[in-house]
Amino acid sequence: MTTDLLAPLDLAFWNIESAEHPMHLGALGVFSAHSPTAGAHAADLLASRAAAVPGLRMRIRDLWQPSPLRPMSFGSASREPDPGFDPLNHVVLHAPTADFHTEAGRLMERSLVRGRPPWEAHVLPGEDGASFAVLFKFHHALADGLRALTLAAAVLDPMDLPERKPRPEEPRRGLLPDVRKLPGLVRGALSDVGRALDIGASVAVSTLGVRSSSAFTAEATGTRRTAGVVIDLDDVQRVRKTQGGTVNDVLIAVVAGALRRWLDARGDGSEGVAPRALIPVSKRRPRTAHPQGNRLSGYLIRLPVDDPDPLGRFEAVRTAMDRNKDAGPNRGAGAVALLADHVPALGHRLGGPLVSQAARLWFDILVTSVPLPSIGLKLGGNPVTEVYPFAPLARGQSLAVAVSTYRGRVHYGLVADAKAVPDLDVLAAALTEEVQALITACGS
């Protein structure tokens, strides 16, 4: 196993984290237990299987020595095998609990240990003996949502997946560009400058004109609360088939309506409120790219929280998403993360604390989708019945929403600052209410 440099965005995530503000993502899987000891057996399985997964042995090491082969690596970091890797440091069996989400929130508060591979698995037996849960935590610098899914799947029971044809290997790039490609490289550099200016201008414009709400911002307390909601995918499809658009459009519109109900219930009021939602778009690097790692863009839309009509909210979301898709993920205010590629490693290192403070100026709430396999997941023969993704919570923000579809059901995973949002259960209930409101409005 070789060492590889962190991609610029991964390095940014690594540097904006602090002890008071962790930047890991997570997923809470709930399993139906075949026996009261299934949770303990699951913990043993996870530890034994983790030892054989190369990606789980990777720690992140800071690089402060300049290298003639990697002149831009000073101040960067790399993934490298941890010679002292012990899976027992990463898999924890907890006491039985009656509330998986209460425990998940408490565990999401804890930063991952930076001196060893930045991931953890917490096994939570249910008090009833009929179920248990596993909370996986991965630092975003180690894995984005798709990569985290791959790593988690490697320690679950083997799945029968269709064979994938290997991609043809491309030659590794040399230290200097091919001179025949220089005109194209120059044009690309000029295009990058224009794109950066466009993104900057779009960010500035996005801050104007619409009232937000203090409910979406909070001082960084480091506390966490989680909640989960399950809705039937058939209900979502019913709305989509009646109104058009995509499943994702419906899921985002449900968030907008739920936020309206939540703000009104807590007395903040929804009139004139249209928070900026960041919808991440993965732009994964080719397998032959160097460095490997995360590369994200995104769409920025105004959630129509102030619209009292469920179908009006849906149409506003659909129109905004269509506009973003027509423009593409390389431009606009949502594409700020792409600029990470143009910042030198030392710039990420020195600017990390400043960048961490800027998220609240860029967007108010994160709404992201995490794909899951359609086949059933199991651990020790115990099937997954629910799976809730948890997104990292940006500094200065109080709420993030992640969505996954698994075996005909949609799972919303909510993460909030526990002190800023003590009523997360009200928002969770509002998601279910909004789905029913949309179905009623569609007349179906």
Side-chain angles (χ1 to χ4, degrees):
M1 193 186 307
T2 59
T3 298
D4 64 290
L5 287 177
L6 292 190
L9 186 61
D10 297 327
L11 184 61
F13 277 114
W14 190 244
N15 285 312
I16 65 177
E17 182 179 65
S18 66
E20 298 77 24
H21 190 76
M23 283 300 295
H24 48 256
L25 51 87
L28 181 69
V30 179
F31 296 77
S32 177
H34 291 332
S35 72
T37 60
H41 178 54
D44 291 339
L45 281 177
L46 291 173
S48 62
R49 292 173 178 176
V53 180
L56 296 178
R57 302 176 66 92
M58 302 297 280
R59 67 179 179 182
I60 296 177
R61 184 174 68 89
D62 294 329
L63 297 177
W64 288 108
Q65 296 296 324
S67 166
L69 296 179
R70 292 175 170 175
M72 298 301 292
S73 66
F74 180 73
S76 185
S78 66
R79 297 184 192 88
E80 63 177 30
D82 181 1
F85 175 70
D86 182 353
L88 295 179
N89 289 331
H90 297 265
V91 179
V92 182
L93 176 63
H94 294 262
T97 179
D99 187 339
F100 295 139
H101 278 288
T102 295
E103 291 300 307
R106 181 178 62 83
L107 293 168
M108 287 293 287
E109 293 181 3
R110 301 179 183 178
S111 298
L112 295 166
V113 179
R114 291 172 74 94
R116 63 192 188 198
W119 68 274
E120 292 174 352
H122 296 270
V123 181
L124 310 171
E127 282 187 349
D128 58 5
S131 63
F132 67 91
V134 179
L135 174 68
F136 288 101
K137 293 167 54 179
F138 293 93
H139 197 286
H140 211 295
L142 179 69
D144 63 0
L146 289 174
R147 174 64 175 160
L149 171 62
T150 301
L151 292 174
V155 293
L156 298 178
D157 293 354
M159 297 182 289
D160 294 324
L161 298 176
E163 287 191 22
R164 297 178 61 182
K165 294 182 179 180
R167 297 181 183 178
E169 287 292 329
E170 297 181 13
R172 183 182 289 262
R173 292 182 298 175
L175 295 178
L176 296 176
D178 186 333
V179 293
R180 293 169 296 181
K181 298 181 180 179
L182 283 176
L185 292 172
V186 172
R187 286 194 298 272
L190 292 176
S191 175
D192 287 343
V193 172
R195 184 180 301 123
L197 293 174
D198 172 80
I199 292 172
S202 298
V203 171
V205 171
S206 73
T207 64
L208 304 175
V210 182
R211 185 173 78 87
S212 187
S213 170
S214 59
F216 301 110
T217 60
E219 294 303 319
T221 69
T223 60
R224 293 291 182 268
R225 185 183 303 274
T226 73
V229 177
V230 181
I231 61 177
D232 196 318
L233 182 59
D234 287 343
D235 290 339
V236 176
Q237 293 284 16
R238 196 178 311 171
V239 176
R240 182 194 65 79
K241 290 176 181 177
T242 302
Q243 301 300 314
T246 67
V247 166
N248 201 42
D249 294 340
V250 179
L251 297 178
I252 296 171
V254 168
V255 173
L259 290 174
R260 176 183 176 84
R261 296 168 185 272
W262 175 61
L263 290 174
D264 288 343
R266 66 181 355 222
D268 290 345
S270 57
E271 184 177 354
V273 174
R276 297 160 300 170
L278 177 65
I279 317 294
V281 176
S282 177
K283 293 177 64 66
R284 300 186 67 79
R285 298 172 184 273
R287 294 180 182 178
T288 54
H290 301 281
Q292 283 289 312
N294 298 318
R295 192 169 189 265
L296 293 174
S297 182
Y299 299 137
L300 196 71
I301 71 170
R302 290 281 187 176
L303 293 181
V305 171
D306 56 344
D307 190 332
D309 177 21
L311 295 184
R313 291 193 290 270
F314 170 77
E315 189 57 35
V317 167
R318 176 185 172 184
T319 300
M321 289 298 290
D322 285 347
R323 188 185 308 117
N324 274 292
K325 292 171 188 174
D326 288 342
N330 293 328
R331 292 186 177 276
V336 166
L338 292 178
L339 300 183
D341 283 353
H342 306 290
V343 178
L346 192 59
H348 283 294
R349 179 78 63 178
L350 299 177
L354 180 62
V355 171
S356 70
Q357 301 285 348
R360 72 169 73 187
L361 301 177
W362 176 22
F363 63 95
D364 299 303
I365 183 173
L366 178 74
V367 182
T368 185
S369 178
V370 181
L372 292 176
S374 57
I375 61 177
L377 302 171
K378 294 182 180 180
L379 179 56
N382 303 285
V384 172
T385 58
E386 303 164 34
V387 55
Y388 302 99
F390 298 136
L393 190 59
R395 180 183 292 274
Q397 294 174 331
S398 61
L399 180 66
V401 180
V403 193
S404 286
T405 299
Y406 177 67
R407 298 181 71 78
R409 301 201 299 173
V410 177
H411 295 74
Y412 282 94
L414 309 179
V415 177
D417 183 286
K419 292 186 178 179
V421 186
D423 55 346
L424 190 61
D425 57 325
V426 176
L427 177 58
L431 289 166
T432 302
E433 294 168 4
E434 182 63 15
V435 173
Q436 295 306 312
L438 275 168
I439 292 173
T440 300
C442 291
S444 56

